[in-house]
Amino acid sequence: MVEITCVSGVGQPCAYALVQLAPEIRQKLASSRDSVQAELKRLLDEVNATLEPHETLGFVAVVRETWTMENGLLTPTMKIKRSLIEKRYEPRLSDWMQSKQKVVWE
């Protein structure tokens, strides 16, 4: 389901994951958003169960924009540019955290 993710949380009340869904999942969103959301919540709960309490993720944010080399969010070797990704989504973090949702959508 998840093509790429960026886990962050420095200077925030909790860690979180920004996720870019796999292309085939993005195509199905119109008809299956509820099932995708339920599966992401299950995945979050599964991951958090393996972590220490201070390491757990507060939420997963599903991003709309595809991260590419062209928009500067991936390197030529397909690695994420964490600082640019964090900066891009920082304005939304407060709202996402205040929503208390396990899965939020951009």
Side-chain angles (χ1 to χ4, degrees), residues 35-80:
S35 64
V36 171
Q37 181 158 330
E39 183 62 22
L40 287 171
K41 184 184 179 310
R42 186 199 61 73
L43 180 60
L44 177 64
D45 292 342
E46 185 179 300
V47 168
N48 279 343
T50 67
L51 301 173
E52 295 294 323
H54 67 280
E55 298 173 319
T56 59
L57 300 173
F59 64 91
V60 171
V62 180
V63 300
R64 270 190 243 138
E65 183 179 17
T66 303
W67 301 341
T68 65
M69 289 181 287
E70 290 76 19
N71 65 14
L73 299 177
L74 293 180
T75 69
T77 57
M78 304 303 286
K79 295 180 180 117
I80 63 169

Side-chain angles (χ1 to χ4, degrees), residues 4-50:
I4 191 167
T5 187
C6 177
V7 175
S8 190
V10 175
Q12 300 297 328
C14 66
Y16 58 90
L18 299 167
V19 299
Q20 176 183 301
L21 297 176
E24 62 273 10
I25 302 299
R26 288 193 304 261
Q27 292 172 0
K28 295 179 188 178
L29 273 183
S31 63
S32 63
R33 184 170 172 164
D34 289 342
S35 64
V36 171
Q37 181 158 330
E39 183 62 22
L40 287 171
K41 184 184 179 310
R42 186 199 61 73
L43 180 60
L44 177 64
D45 292 342
E46 185 179 300
V47 168
N48 279 343
T50 67

Side-chain angles (χ1 to χ4, degrees), residues 67-104:
W67 301 341
T68 65
M69 289 181 287
E70 290 76 19
N71 65 14
L73 299 177
L74 293 180
T75 69
T77 57
M78 304 303 286
K79 295 180 180 117
I80 63 169
K81 292 185 177 178
R82 176 181 304 279
S83 62
L84 296 178
I85 290 171
E86 290 171 336
K87 184 177 180 180
R88 173 140 325 164
Y89 298 101
E90 183 178 20
R92 295 184 172 100
L93 285 179
S94 179
D95 290 339
W96 289 343
M97 287 185 190
Q98 289 176 9
S99 78
K100 304 292 186 198
Q101 299 293 314
K102 292 291 184 179
V103 178
V104 295

